[in-house]
Amino acid sequence: MRILMVCLGNICRSPIAEGVMRALVTRDNLDWVIDSAGTESYHIGEPPHTYSQKICQKNGVDISQQKARKFVAADLKDFDLIYVMARDVMESVKHIAGSAFDARKVILFLEESHPGSGRSVPDPWYGTEEGYSEVYDMIHDTCSVILEKYRAAAVTDLYN
Ligand code: 4NP
């Protein structure tokens, strides 16, 4: 299983999603590849936002070694699932992917925990430190749902 988390800058939301998802699959000894990217170029090469690092560290997840990169059309080929943090990110992913876009693999992240809601993870960039904590909780809950859903799928594949 190869999962890519995507937001706008790849410094606030998707680095948390990458770190939390990786921590969960590592805990459970699963051989999944987890990565993240952003649809904009502003922060390429930068580490995650200080508040994203801080809230992750508080929860035992080290994301300090991550570096922002831009989402590219080839990611559609390289990943099984691409989770977009927000609806505007979905639109940018469609634009960047062009003819490579595949609606079966690009999913609005919060649909996994709140099906049919069409909700986006709020962008904490313009907010306070508290906003990062709320975003962390949302992301953690949703990553747990994803883990259970696809772990079960992997086991079913194994026995069929
Ligand atoms: P992210 O947050 O998409 O969660 O990484 C943002 C980071 C930077 C900017 C916007 C959102 N920016 O405009 O620079």
Side-chain angles (χ1 to χ4, degrees):
M1 183 66 83
R2 299 175 64 90
I3 299 180
L4 181 69
M5 305 294 190
V6 186
C7 64
L8 201 139
N10 194 207
I11 57 163
C12 300
R13 293 165 290 181
S14 61
I16 299 177
E18 177 187 339
V20 169
M21 197 74 234
R22 183 178 294 120
L24 291 174
V25 303
T26 302
R27 180 199 68 190
D28 288 2
N29 254 323
L30 292 166
D31 189 19
W32 295 8
V33 172
I34 315 293
D35 194 8
S36 67
T39 55
E40 299 296 334
S41 313
Y42 320 129
H43 301 282
I44 291 174
E46 292 178 23
H49 191 283
T50 308
Y51 290 157
S52 289
Q53 290 197 46
K54 223 169 135 181
I55 189 66
C56 282
Q57 196 176 32
K58 212 171 135 186
N59 288 279
V61 178
D62 180 8
I63 62 167
S64 63
Q65 298 310 305
Q66 291 185 27
K67 294 270 175 289
R69 74 158 173 101
K70 188 153 189 257
F71 173 79
V72 290
D75 286 323
L76 265 298
K77 190 163 42 67
D78 294 342
F79 291 90
D80 302 307
L81 289 170
I82 297 175
Y83 284 111
V84 293
M85 295 294 123
R87 293 159 75 117
D88 58 340
V89 177
M90 175 67 90
E91 293 315 307
S92 301
V93 162
K94 278 184 189 164
H95 181 73
I96 295 166
S99 60
F101 186 78
D102 182 346
R104 291 166 305 178
K105 4 177 124 164
V106 187
I107 299 159
L108 189 59
F109 181 69
L110 288 182
E111 284 297 298
E112 295 287 22
S113 51
H114 299 81
S117 69
R119 279 179 66 187
S120 296
V121 178
D123 188 347
W125 173 251
Y126 299 101
T128 61
E129 187 169 355
E130 175 62 21
Y132 287 75
S133 180
E134 286 162 19
V135 160
Y136 181 92
D137 291 343
M138 248 178 230
I139 289 176
H140 184 273
D141 291 351
T142 306
C143 285
S144 301
V145 172
I146 292 168
L147 178 72
E148 292 316 317
K149 181 171 171 180
Y150 290 100
R151 191 210 330 254
V155 169
T156 306
D157 280 353
L158 202 68
Y159 292 104
N160 283 325

